[in-house]
Amino acid sequence: MDSICVQGGIALQGEVPIQGSKNAALPILAATLLVGERSFIRNCPRIADVYAMVSLLKAMGCQVNWQEQGILVDSSRVQGHEMQSEAVKGMRSSLCLLGAMIGRCNEVVMEHPGGCVIGQRPIDLHLWALGQMGVAFGETQGLLSATADRLCGARICLPKPSVGATENIILAAVMAEGDTLIEGAAREPEIVALCGYLCACGAWIQGAGTACIRIRGGQRLYGTDYTVPADRIVAGTYLFACIAAGGNIFLEHAPGEDMGAVLTVAGRMGARLCTSREGIYVQAPPRPLSTDRIITAPYPGFPTDLQSSALVAAALGEGVTLVEETIFENRFRVVEELRKMGGRMEMLDTGKLLVRGVDTLQGALVEAKELRGGAALVAAALAAKGESVIRGCLYINRGYENICRDFRELGARVIGA
Ligand code: UD1
């Protein structure tokens, strides 16, 4: 499915289950490498990035079986430490295999990881932090190589709360000699989920979800059964789609407790929200209100992954909204496409966009250029008058199990082609 065709202008109604979290499932699957036993990971989303991670685990010698309820990974035999695959290049989160392979084999040779084209995405913090733990890096024929004669715990003070670097440190630290203290750690719920899995396997980790995480290395790990939490970003995408297109929806399993900043912005836009353990009920306002400012920030701030979705709702808002992107410089690639639909928005400065709300968007032929921006275009098309075609939807499949099916469950007229 490379294109999605949407007949817009229909308010959303109904309920939709929210898939498991991509950004939690990927590091947890990488972490199964450390255990050397069988782990059963439930609620993994059936998305391209998870398929790619499964193929990498298999290439490393793990036995991996998809079952109805989840993925069974047996990492008792891991052979080889070379990962030269297209799957590594195409997926940013293959980077967490760096910490996992160092932890398991003390060495790894891999392609430089890829991912969405939303900025430079350097890996300097990953290399520097693992370097503190005794890992030496080299580069041969364009491949990144890492070895650790002795992997040691360390006190690491991250200058930026990088999610991926925090995950890599945790993965290596669990297997290292001695204690590791991470200061300035990322606090995202996906870090909590990774630590939840590792602790269920027998690891000793304190402080996950805070800026200071302590890990005692060298604990014996055992296989376990673990459930990936629901995806707060997918839930947020559908929430803003409802605010833009109108209607009443129930986001089943949506993790409201992890979505504070998102729910605050949605509330300021005029949505009526009711959060419970079962999910989030959303009643859209007749027209979104302007919210003055939306600023992305590391958790618990407003997630950069939902900036483009919020932008769509702001594009239809009454009044003016300033959207500031502080994490990835290239996350405004969707703006050009929204302008084709009649959106009025103006770049003020790097990372600052002024959005002047319009009464309606018009259907158009637009192109997804990255994962989250692509999903936001589907939301814009739902709200727009007439027909839209969104091309480049392979990006969307990297993070959404079946965005067309989900919106159809909410009464939208959406067809993948
Ligand atoms: C993860 C998420 C991604 C989300 C992002 C921020 C996964 C698979 N991806 O990406 O969806 O948008 O967190 O919430 O979980 N940085 C450096 N040097 C580094 C690493 C990062 O300067 O070595 C910078 C980045 O350029 C960025 C900031 O730190 O400006 C945050 O990046 P980071 O938290 O590492 O994002 P990812 O882990 O790549």
Side-chain angles (χ1 to χ4, degrees), residues 23 92 121-126 160 162-164 305 327-328:
N23 288 355
R92 172 78 179 176
R121 307 201 86 166
I123 61 166
D124 56 320
L125 293 175
H126 299 247
K160 264 189 209 172
S162 158
V163 176
D305 285 359
I327 314 279
F328 292 115

Side-chain angles (χ1 to χ4, degrees), residues 332-351:
F332 283 127
R333 302 185 80 205
V334 73
V335 168
E336 199 186 319
E337 305 305 302
L338 288 175
R339 284 195 186 120
K340 292 182 191 162
M341 303 178 83
R344 284 182 65 207
M345 35 199 82
E346 178 191 336
M347 284 308 297
L348 294 182
D349 212 342
T350 326

Side-chain angles (χ1 to χ4, degrees), residues 107-377:
E107 60 180 329
V108 61
V109 177
M110 66 194 288
E111 302 267 5
H112 279 282
C116 267
V117 202
I118 52 169
Q120 289 198 351
R121 307 201 86 166
I123 61 166
D124 56 320
L125 293 175
H126 299 247
L127 305 187
W128 169 79
L130 292 173
Q132 307 272 303
M133 301 178 74
V135 182
F137 291 96
E139 194 157 323
T140 27
Q141 293 163 346
L143 300 176
L144 175 70
S145 67
T147 43
D149 293 337
R150 232 181 108 207
L151 192 61
C152 302
R155 180 175 168 189
I156 298 165
C157 188
L158 283 174
K160 264 189 209 172
S162 158
V163 176
T166 304
E167 288 166 351
N168 261 328
I169 300 168
I170 293 168
L171 290 165
V174 161
M175 306 304 274
E177 281 175 37
D179 285 8
T180 296
L181 180 67
I182 315 174
E183 290 170 316
R187 291 183 279 164
E188 268 67 1
E190 293 75 27
I191 305 269
V192 178
L194 171 64
C195 294
Y197 164 71
L198 286 166
C199 290
C201 295
W204 190 99
I205 304 173
Q206 268 190 349
T210 75
C212 188
I213 304 179
R214 189 180 289 277
I215 303 122
R216 180 149 301 158
Q219 304 290 306
R220 166 95 167 84
L221 300 183
Y222 303 89
T224 195
D225 186 313
Y226 193 76
T227 302
V228 171
D231 196 311
R232 65 191 171 104
I233 304 300
V234 171
T237 306
Y238 298 170
L239 163 60
F240 287 114
C242 179
I243 295 177
N248 300 283
I249 61 171
F250 182 66
L251 303 168
E252 198 185 340
H253 316 305
E257 67 282 7
D258 294 335
M259 295 175 66
V262 174
L263 299 182
T264 302
V265 168
R268 290 207 315 253
M269 287 179 165
R272 290 179 63 187
L273 305 162
C274 181
T275 307
S276 69
R277 281 169 61 92
E278 281 71 43
I280 303 175
Y281 170 76
V282 186
Q283 184 179 3
R287 183 179 170 186
L289 306 172
S290 111
T291 60
D292 293 343
R293 256 178 155 196
I294 301 169
I295 307 179
T296 64
Y299 191 83
F302 189 87
T304 173
D305 285 359
L306 285 175
Q307 182 254 98
S308 357
S309 288
L311 182 57
V312 169
L316 286 157
E318 284 186 54
V320 173
T321 306
L322 180 67
V323 181
E324 281 186 55
E325 173 58 57
T326 69
I327 314 279
F328 292 115
E329 68 271 22
N330 240 354
R331 271 241 157 115
F332 283 127
R333 302 185 80 205
V334 73
V335 168
E336 199 186 319
E337 305 305 302
L338 288 175
R339 284 195 186 120
K340 292 182 191 162
M341 303 178 83
R344 284 182 65 207
M345 35 199 82
E346 178 191 336
M347 284 308 297
L348 294 182
D349 212 342
T350 326
K352 283 193 187 148
L353 182 78
L354 192 69
V355 182
R356 295 177 205 282
V358 293
D359 289 346
T360 47
L361 293 174
Q362 265 78 48
L365 174 61
V366 289
E367 178 142 4
K369 293 175 181 164
E370 39 93 12
L371 164 62
R372 303 301 175 189
L377 286 174

